Amino acid sequence: MILCFALVVQAQNVTVTGTVTDTQGESLIGVNIVVEGTTMGTITDINGNYELEVGPDARLTFSYVGYETQTVAVGDQRVINVSLVPGAALEEVVVVGYGTLRRSDLTGSLASVSARDFEQQPLTRVDQALQGRASGVSVIQTSGKPGAGFKIRIRGSNSIAGNNDPLYVVDGLTIEDINSININDVASMEVLKDASATAIYGSRGANGVVLVTTKTGEKGPARVAFETYYGVSKVFQSLDVMTPAEFAEGVNFAEGLEWYTAQEIADLRTGGGEDWQDRLFRKAPFWNAQLSVSGGS
């Protein structure tokens, strides 16, 4: 009799420990440590220490906000200490009347709106893009008429009888109507709200300044983009009115007299009535298409 034995050798997991610090030797708390290609991981404690059970062929990825990510192969190591290097900080740049500044260097009161904030919305006017997106800026529709314009007020009105409209500047040029440009051409908008607007633009900036920067071509091959949307506009809520029969019954009840007989009320109930709101307020379809070609060398 011959006995055959199959011997299966399985790699044993190992425990890896270590400390994560910055370039100054200070311990980093809450660093994410993940086994590459899996969801297994842990974080460093208050002293920057960690402990993780992994396979000998594993690779550990160390990541932390504001620092560059590092990946280390475990191999024969049982203690892996890592020093994370600070990543390159990208500061937001904003446009002001005399050029551009880093937001950290800006001392005046300014609100910024990027095209990314509204490009997914079916807007038709530039002033609509500011509505509800900039503190201290009120965008109010002038009337309830379809297609009515908007008025922009920055930190309220400064004059009872005078003009309270802000100054509009598009790519360094002042214009009277901000809606004379296409909303799809806008890259960003900055709103100057305090005395810095007057210091740059004089008395014309007393009501604030809206700076509009339009899109420009970027280096690379030509790119063609086509965007379109379709929608229907309708009355949000109509008035709840009585039917002719209900009106007749209400008159009889209010007057205490039989102005309308039972037969007349029955005829009104079977004959129905006309809700003139349905006649006046119909659904209004709208459609927009935008074709653009951009590129540069």
Side-chain angles (χ1 to χ4, degrees):
M1 180 181 293
I2 300 176
L3 298 178
C4 297
F5 296 93
L7 180 62
V8 179
V9 179
Q10 184 175 5
Q12 297 293 322
N13 286 345
V14 297
T15 300
V16 177
T17 60
T19 304
V20 182
T21 60
D22 59 12
T23 54
Q24 304 298 323
E26 296 291 334
S27 300
L28 296 178
I29 306 171
V31 177
N32 291 306
I33 306 164
V34 179
V35 179
E36 191 176 58
T38 71
T39 57
M40 297 173 51
T42 185
I43 61 173
T44 56
D45 60 18
I46 192 171
N47 297 314
N49 300 322
Y50 72 93
E51 180 178 322
L52 186 62
E53 186 175 339
V54 298
D57 298 330
R59 292 170 58 87
L60 301 182
T61 300
F62 298 80
S63 61
Y64 196 59
V65 176
Y67 290 80
E68 295 183 359
T69 300
Q70 290 190 29
T71 301
V72 180
V74 174
D76 297 330
Q77 303 180 84
R78 298 298 177 264
V79 178
I80 301 177
N81 297 323
V82 175
S83 177
L84 295 182
V85 179
L90 298 177
E91 288 204 68
E92 183 181 357
V93 176
V94 295
V95 178
V96 293
Y98 44 82
T100 58
L101 286 176
R102 292 182 301 176
R103 181 171 286 276
S104 59
D105 295 335
L106 190 66
T107 57
S109 179
L110 180 142
S112 299
V113 178
S114 172
R116 293 189 298 270
D117 299 329
F118 58 81
E119 61 185 3
Q120 299 299 325
Q121 291 183 285
L123 302 179
T124 58
R125 302 168 58 94
V126 176
D127 46 17
Q128 288 179 301
L130 289 174
Q131 197 167 26
R133 291 187 174 89
S135 61
V137 180
S138 300
V139 182
I140 307 170
Q141 194 165 13
T142 54
S143 72
K145 296 179 181 179
F150 292 78
K151 61 181 180 181
I152 298 177
R153 295 292 179 264
I154 299 175
R155 289 186 172 177
S157 300
N158 297 323
S159 174
I160 297 177
N163 182 18
N164 289 293
D165 292 335
L167 178 67
Y168 301 114
V169 181
V170 179
D171 293 335
L173 300 176
T174 59
I175 61 173
E176 294 295 330
D177 184 11
I178 193 175
N179 293 299
S180 60
I181 60 176
N182 190 341
I183 181 64
N184 296 291
D185 293 334
V186 175
S188 65
M189 288 186 287
E190 279 75 36
V191 182
L192 302 181
K193 298 181 288 185
D194 59 2
S196 61
T198 307
I200 300 170
Y201 295 99
S203 60
R204 295 183 302 169
N207 296 321
V209 181
V210 178
L211 302 172
V212 180
T213 303
T214 58
K215 297 177 181 178
T216 58
E218 298 179 356
K219 186 177 181 180
R223 185 177 63 179
V224 180
F226 178 75
E227 300 176 1
T228 183
Y229 62 82
Y230 174 84
V232 176
S233 178
K234 64 178 182 179
V235 175
F236 176 72
Q237 184 176 5
S238 59
L239 297 176
D240 187 13
V241 296
M242 294 186 294
T243 64
E246 291 172 341
F247 176 78
E249 291 173 342
V251 170
N252 287 350
F253 177 79
E255 297 292 337
L257 300 173
E258 191 176 353
W259 290 97
Y260 296 91
T261 64
Q263 183 60 45
E264 289 175 330
I265 294 176
D267 293 340
L268 291 173
R269 185 172 287 110
T270 56
E274 186 69 53
D275 188 349
W276 293 103
Q277 295 178 100
D278 296 335
R279 295 287 186 178
L280 293 174
F281 303 113
R282 294 176 295 177
K283 293 182 179 179
F286 57 88
W287 173 75
N288 182 65
Q290 176 77 15
L291 176 65
S292 62
V293 180
S294 62
S297 59

